[in-house]
Amino acid sequence: MRTDLTGLVFIGGKSSRMGKDKAFLPFKGKLLYEWAYEKLHTFCEEVYLSVNEQQFHRLTGPFSLIQDANSAAGPMAALVQSLAQIQTSLLVLPVDAPLISPLTIQQLLSACDPEKPATLFYDKQAERWEPLIGIWEYNALSELMVYQQNGGKSFQKFLQHHPAKKVVANRPSEFLNVNDPAAYNDLS
């Protein structure tokens, strides 16, 4: 297993479809951000939370925080900022995918190709990457920065020109994304 990875949980989104901050929703006795943090901490000695300004002031505890410089810029900007600040390759997980298991993370780690910009799950049926569940290599930072400086915000478009290592999930049911109240209610 790689020992050079730092964990990063993306929690700084707007949560507009949910109507309230997803990171602080309870699930099985913990908050969603705590679940994601603990899962990554199993594989990474150091884990950061990528947060917006409100979360930065709300969170307490033993968490290392990276406050989004521009929350409106989206997750690509948060990834670029985090890679630049942490300066290691990142094992990333979004706060709104609480069913991702350690076995699925282990599948990703086992398939990792450090020569590619990223190792990511790929949904063959939808022909889409899962860019927030994966490994982003530190050596991808310069390409990501150029893409972002040229106005790029879409992971899908970036990955068309900078192909990642594709991993097809063994347990696709774990990829439920909790973006709205109906999806959250389906968890309970």
Side-chain angles (χ1 to χ4, degrees), residues 72-92:
M76 166 98 40
L79 175 66
V80 169
Q81 179 183 344
S82 297
L83 280 168
Q85 188 169 332
I86 300 169
Q87 298 185 353
T88 65
S89 296
L90 301 174
L91 175 60
V92 301

CSV table of all heavy atoms in Angstrom, one decimal, residues 72-92:
chain,number,residue,atom,x,y,z
A,72,ALA,N,-17.0,29.5,-4.7
A,72,ALA,CA,-17.9,29.5,-5.9
A,72,ALA,C,-17.2,28.8,-7.1
A,72,ALA,O,-17.8,28.5,-8.1
A,72,ALA,CB,-18.3,30.9,-6.2
A,73,ALA,N,-15.9,28.6,-7.0
A,73,ALA,CA,-15.1,28.1,-8.1
A,73,ALA,C,-15.3,26.5,-8.3
A,73,ALA,O,-14.9,26.0,-9.3
A,73,ALA,CB,-13.6,28.4,-8.0
A,74,GLY,N,-15.8,25.9,-7.2
A,74,GLY,CA,-16.1,24.4,-7.4
A,74,GLY,C,-15.0,23.5,-6.9
A,74,GLY,O,-13.9,24.0,-6.5
A,75,PRO,N,-15.2,22.2,-7.1
A,75,PRO,CA,-14.3,21.2,-6.5
A,75,PRO,C,-12.9,21.2,-7.3
A,75,PRO,O,-11.9,20.8,-6.7
A,75,PRO,CB,-15.0,19.9,-6.7
A,75,PRO,CG,-16.1,20.1,-7.6
A,75,PRO,CD,-16.5,21.6,-7.6
A,76,MET,N,-12.9,21.5,-8.6
A,76,MET,CA,-11.6,21.5,-9.3
A,76,MET,C,-10.7,22.5,-8.6
A,76,MET,O,-9.5,22.2,-8.4
A,76,MET,CB,-11.8,21.8,-10.7
A,76,MET,CG,-10.5,22.2,-11.5
A,76,MET,SD,-9.7,21.0,-12.5
A,76,MET,CE,-10.8,20.0,-13.3
A,77,ALA,N,-11.2,23.7,-8.3
A,77,ALA,CA,-10.4,24.7,-7.7
A,77,ALA,C,-9.9,24.3,-6.3
A,77,ALA,O,-8.8,24.5,-5.9
A,77,ALA,CB,-11.1,26.0,-7.6
A,78,ALA,N,-10.8,23.6,-5.6
A,78,ALA,CA,-10.5,23.1,-4.2
A,78,ALA,C,-9.4,22.0,-4.4
A,78,ALA,O,-8.4,22.0,-3.5
A,78,ALA,CB,-11.7,22.5,-3.5
A,79,LEU,N,-9.4,21.2,-5.4
A,79,LEU,CA,-8.4,20.1,-5.6
A,79,LEU,C,-7.0,20.8,-5.9
A,79,LEU,O,-6.0,20.4,-5.3
A,79,LEU,CB,-8.8,19.2,-6.7
A,79,LEU,CG,-7.7,18.2,-7.1
A,79,LEU,CD1,-7.4,17.2,-5.9
A,79,LEU,CD2,-8.1,17.4,-8.3
A,80,VAL,N,-7.0,21.8,-6.8
A,80,VAL,CA,-5.8,22.4,-7.2
A,80,VAL,C,-5.2,23.1,-6.0
A,80,VAL,O,-4.0,23.0,-5.7
A,80,VAL,CB,-6.1,23.4,-8.3
A,80,VAL,CG1,-4.9,24.3,-8.6
A,80,VAL,CG2,-6.4,22.7,-9.6
A,81,GLN,N,-6.0,23.8,-5.2
A,81,GLN,CA,-5.5,24.5,-4.0
A,81,GLN,C,-5.0,23.5,-3.0
A,81,GLN,O,-3.9,23.8,-2.4
A,81,GLN,CB,-6.7,25.3,-3.4
A,81,GLN,CG,-6.3,26.1,-2.2
A,81,GLN,CD,-7.4,26.8,-1.5
A,81,GLN,OE1,-8.5,27.0,-2.1
A,81,GLN,NE2,-7.2,27.2,-0.3
A,82,SER,N,-5.6,22.4,-2.8
A,82,SER,CA,-5.2,21.4,-1.9
A,82,SER,C,-3.9,20.8,-2.3
A,82,SER,O,-3.0,20.6,-1.5
A,82,SER,CB,-6.3,20.4,-1.7
A,82,SER,OG,-7.4,21.0,-1.1
A,83,LEU,N,-3.8,20.4,-3.6
A,83,LEU,CA,-2.5,19.8,-4.1
A,83,LEU,C,-1.4,20.8,-3.9
A,83,LEU,O,-0.3,20.4,-3.4
A,83,LEU,CB,-2.6,19.4,-5.6
A,83,LEU,CG,-3.4,18.1,-5.9
A,83,LEU,CD1,-3.7,18.0,-7.4
A,83,LEU,CD2,-2.5,16.9,-5.4
A,84,ALA,N,-1.6,22.1,-4.2
A,84,ALA,CA,-0.6,23.1,-4.1
A,84,ALA,C,-0.2,23.3,-2.6
A,84,ALA,O,1.0,23.5,-2.3
A,84,ALA,CB,-1.0,24.4,-4.7
A,85,GLN,N,-1.1,23.2,-1.7
A,85,GLN,CA,-0.8,23.5,-0.3
A,85,GLN,C,-0.2,22.3,0.4
A,85,GLN,O,0.7,22.4,1.1
A,85,GLN,CB,-2.1,23.9,0.4
A,85,GLN,CG,-1.9,24.4,1.8
A,85,GLN,CD,-3.1,25.1,2.4
A,85,GLN,OE1,-4.0,25.6,1.7
A,85,GLN,NE2,-3.3,25.0,3.7
A,86,ILE,N,-0.7,21.1,0.1
A,86,ILE,CA,-0.3,19.9,0.8
A,86,ILE,C,1.0,19.4,0.2
A,86,ILE,O,1.9,18.8,0.9
A,86,ILE,CB,-1.4,18.9,0.9
A,86,ILE,CG1,-2.6,19.4,1.6
A,86,ILE,CG2,-0.9,17.6,1.5
A,86,ILE,CD1,-3.9,18.5,1.5
A,87,GLN,N,1.1,19.4,-1.1
A,87,GLN,CA,2.3,19.0,-1.9
A,87,GLN,C,2.6,17.5,-1.8
A,87,GLN,O,3.7,17.1,-1.7
A,87,GLN,CB,3.5,19.9,-1.5
A,87,GLN,CG,3.4,21.3,-1.8
A,87,GLN,CD,4.6,22.1,-1.5
A,87,GLN,OE1,5.6,21.7,-1.0
A,87,GLN,NE2,4.5,23.4,-1.9
A,88,THR,N,1.5,16.7,-1.7
A,88,THR,CA,1.6,15.3,-1.9
A,88,THR,C,0.5,14.8,-2.7
A,88,THR,O,-0.5,15.5,-2.9
A,88,THR,CB,1.6,14.5,-0.5
A,88,THR,OG1,0.3,14.7,0.1
A,88,THR,CG2,2.6,15.0,0.5
A,89,SER,N,0.5,13.6,-3.2
A,89,SER,CA,-0.6,13.0,-3.9
A,89,SER,C,-1.7,12.8,-2.8
A,89,SER,O,-1.5,12.6,-1.6
A,89,SER,CB,-0.2,11.6,-4.5
A,89,SER,OG,0.8,11.8,-5.4
A,90,LEU,N,-3.0,12.9,-3.4
A,90,LEU,CA,-4.1,12.9,-2.5
A,90,LEU,C,-5.1,11.7,-2.7
A,90,LEU,O,-5.4,11.4,-3.9
A,90,LEU,CB,-4.9,14.2,-2.6
A,90,LEU,CG,-4.2,15.5,-2.4
A,90,LEU,CD1,-5.0,16.7,-2.7
A,90,LEU,CD2,-3.7,15.5,-0.9
A,91,LEU,N,-5.5,11.1,-1.7
A,91,LEU,CA,-6.6,10.1,-1.7
A,91,LEU,C,-7.8,10.9,-1.4
A,91,LEU,O,-7.9,11.4,-0.2
A,91,LEU,CB,-6.4,9.0,-0.8
A,91,LEU,CG,-7.5,7.9,-0.6
A,91,LEU,CD1,-7.8,7.3,-1.9
A,91,LEU,CD2,-7.1,6.9,0.5
A,92,VAL,N,-8.8,11.1,-2.3
A,92,VAL,CA,-9.9,12.0,-2.1
A,92,VAL,C,-11.2,11.3,-2.0
A,92,VAL,O,-11.4,10.2,-2.6
A,92,VAL,CB,-10.0,13.1,-3.2
A,92,VAL,CG1,-8.7,13.9,-3.2
A,92,VAL,CG2,-10.3,12.5,-4.5
